[in-house]
């Protein structure tokens, strides 16, 4: 309820292939200012990693993005005037808030030039920053995804 009242904007998209989701990721990336925390929600296979691979393709063209499921957090140095680093975390295998806190993700929250992407952000519970971007992925059909981007302030 609290989140609703602080919602600044919401945009809804439909993609019909993984390439379209990647393209949406590229477009999203082009708007980043640095300092954002992007929380990604949705089931396995909903398209979170695909979207982030589009983001990385914008910053580091040709670089393959691996799902960080086993490594949990990956860091990428990037080179644009505003964004210098991407942190990509996947909390799928994390079980409790303590374990998640030990990752030190919050250290990156207010770092200028760093953008943090968190897959399975629902596992992060209370440790999410108030001002953040949420992206919710829903499987509508085999190749169709509904992607809702919401900004909280
Ligand atoms: N419109 C679409 N957008 C994104 N992925 C899609 C789409 N249609 C089919 N897919 C497939 O769904 C899967 C998405 O996987 P992934 O991005 O790893 O999901 P997540 O990270 O949410 O678990 C991929 O196999 C991809 O090819
Ligand atoms: Mg994933």
């Amino acid at each position: 309820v609290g989140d609703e009242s602080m919602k600044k904007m919401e945009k809804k998209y439909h993609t019909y292939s993984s390439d379209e989701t990647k393209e949406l990721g590229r477009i999203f990336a082009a708007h980043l200012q640095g300092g954002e925390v992007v929380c990604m929600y949705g089931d396995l296979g909903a398209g979170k990693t695909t979207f982030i691979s589009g983001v990385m393709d914008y910053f580091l063209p040709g670089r393959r993005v691996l799902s960080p499921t086993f490594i949990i957090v990956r860091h990428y140095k990037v080179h644009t005037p505003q964004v210098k680093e991407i942190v990509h975390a996947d909390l799928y295998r994390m079980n409790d808030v303590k374990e998640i806190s030990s990752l030190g993700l919050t250290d990156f929250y207010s770092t200028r030039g760093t953008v943090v992407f968190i897959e399975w952000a629902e596992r992060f519970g209370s440790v999410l920053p108030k001002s953040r971007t949420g992206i919710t992925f829903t499987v509508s059909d085999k190749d169709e995804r509904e992607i809702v981007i919401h900004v909280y302030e």
Side-chain angles (χ1 to χ4, degrees):
V1 181
D3 280 349
E4 287 303 317
S5 60
M6 289 180 290
K7 198 174 278 187
K8 192 184 160 204
M9 74 94 179
E10 179 176 296
K11 277 186 179 156
K12 190 179 285 186
Y13 302 89
H14 289 266
T15 64
Y16 298 89
S17 67
S18 53
D19 279 351
E20 280 186 22
T21 296
K22 267 185 95 164
E23 180 60 17
L24 190 60
R26 278 187 212 102
I27 293 165
F28 179 80
H31 289 89
L32 290 168
Q33 302 291 303
E36 291 92 346
V37 176
V38 185
C39 302
M40 314 191 80
Y41 306 95
D43 292 338
L44 265 186
K48 304 180 293 298
T49 301
T50 302
F51 184 95
I52 293 173
S53 75
V55 170
M56 293 316 301
D57 195 56
Y58 173 83
F59 288 110
L60 300 171
R63 171 86 182 252
R64 208 157 77 89
V65 172
L66 302 167
S67 173
T69 299
F70 294 100
I71 288 189
I72 303 171
V73 186
R74 281 176 191 274
H75 298 255
Y76 301 87
K77 290 283 172 220
V78 304
H79 312 281
T80 61
Q82 281 153 326
V83 182
K84 305 295 180 196
E85 180 185 37
I86 304 287
V87 176
H88 178 194
D90 188 330
L91 306 183
Y92 183 56
R93 275 159 214 282
M94 297 280 98
N95 296 311
D96 56 60
V97 174
K98 247 197 201 152
E99 199 179 6
I100 289 166
S101 300
S102 73
L103 297 174
L105 282 180
T106 52
D107 298 347
F108 296 98
Y109 281 180
S110 47
T111 305
R112 198 199 315 216
T114 297
V115 181
V116 182
F117 285 87
I118 306 172
E119 294 192 49
W120 295 94
E122 52 269 61
R123 310 241 160 137
F124 218 60
S126 54
V127 200
L128 294 173
K130 238 191 229 159
S131 63
R132 62 186 191 270
T133 301
I135 310 184
T136 302
F137 296 78
T138 310
V139 178
S140 317
D141 205 341
K142 187 180 157 293
D143 294 321
E144 185 183 347
R145 304 291 185 265
E146 184 181 273
I147 300 171
V148 180
I149 301 179
H150 27 137
V151 176
Y152 302 95
E153 291 228 311

